Amino acid sequence: DTFNIGNAQGSNGSFTLAGSSVTAGAETIGGSGSGVLTQTTGTNSVGDFYLGRESSGDGSYFLNGGNLSANFETIGINGSGRFTQSSGTHTVNSDLFLGYVGRGRYDLSGGSLTVNSETIGVFGSGRFTQDGGTHTVTNDLILGRFGGAGTYTLNNGTLNIGNSVNGSASGTFNLDRGILSITGSSVGVGAFTV
């Protein structure tokens, strides 16, 4: 079963999850239209998760509490996707992509995000800004891949990387404040600024 918000071109949809649970095999917010999901409490469990699936799609997710878990997650698969997390727990069991072909953005200011591996800017453009909270990448954080452009900015909070930070010449890591822990020994991106 699928759960769609803003699936048709020209449509606008919104949904608020508070104190209940959603379980879906796939979830698309901003398929060909515009979609917004705001979660304050409760549980959202999904297999494949998409924000901004088609080129005309625009999807936004606001995680202000509760728990979101997904197997695969793509923010900006062909269109535009933005994920904003101020609290709560977010778990991606496999891969998280920001800007697969389109434009993907993640803003983390509180709560926790745990992913297996993460690619920012696959073929498109991706941006991750961390102003707080805890972000754990079990394996690799990849910035810029297959011609995509990826930027990670750590302003505050904690970023734990289990293996390495790598990517292409179009990958940028900006370390302002906060705690960065890299278990592996490899750091290879276009620009690493402190």
Side-chain angles (χ1 to χ4, degrees):
D1 12 334
T2 61
F3 180 57
N4 299 316
I5 303 171
N7 197 40
Q9 191 166 3
S11 66
N12 291 280
S14 63
F15 182 84
T16 299
L17 176 60
S20 57
S21 63
V22 172
T23 302
E27 189 168 298
T28 299
I29 302 167
S32 293
S34 177
V36 178
L37 195 154
T38 302
Q39 182 177 355
T40 57
T41 57
T43 301
N44 188 2
S45 302
V46 60
D48 296 333
F49 178 89
Y50 305 105
L51 292 178
R53 182 161 187 162
E54 304 301 331
S55 59
S56 60
D58 187 357
S60 297
Y61 198 111
F62 296 92
L63 181 59
N64 302 323
N67 177 68
L68 167 64
S69 62
N71 288 331
F72 289 91
E73 194 164 308
T74 306
I75 299 171
I77 183 167
N78 286 296
S80 178
R82 182 171 182 177
F83 198 109
T84 304
Q85 181 179 359
S86 63
S87 184
T89 301
H90 184 186
T91 305
V92 183
N93 297 321
S94 187
D95 296 312
L96 169 63
F97 299 108
L98 297 180
Y100 193 82
V101 173
R103 300 169 307 281
R105 179 172 176 176
Y106 201 114
D107 296 310
L108 175 65
S109 60
S112 66
L113 167 65
T114 302
V115 305
N116 180 49
S117 63
E118 184 172 321
T119 303
I120 302 174
V122 185
F123 296 97
S125 62
R127 179 179 298 274
F128 197 114
T129 302
Q130 184 175 356
D131 292 305
T134 301
H135 182 191
T136 301
V137 182
T138 306
N139 288 300
D140 295 318
L141 174 63
I142 302 169
L143 304 176
R145 190 175 188 184
F146 305 133
T151 301
Y152 196 108
T153 301
L154 179 60
N155 293 320
N156 212 336
T158 301
L159 172 60
N160 302 307
I161 301 171
N163 194 19
S164 65
V165 179
N166 60 71
S168 67
S170 58
T172 302
F173 193 103
N174 301 311
L175 176 59
D176 183 10
R177 291 173 293 172
I179 300 170
L180 172 62
S181 173
I182 303 174
T183 302
S185 59
S186 173
V187 177
V189 292
F192 192 101
T193 61
V194 178

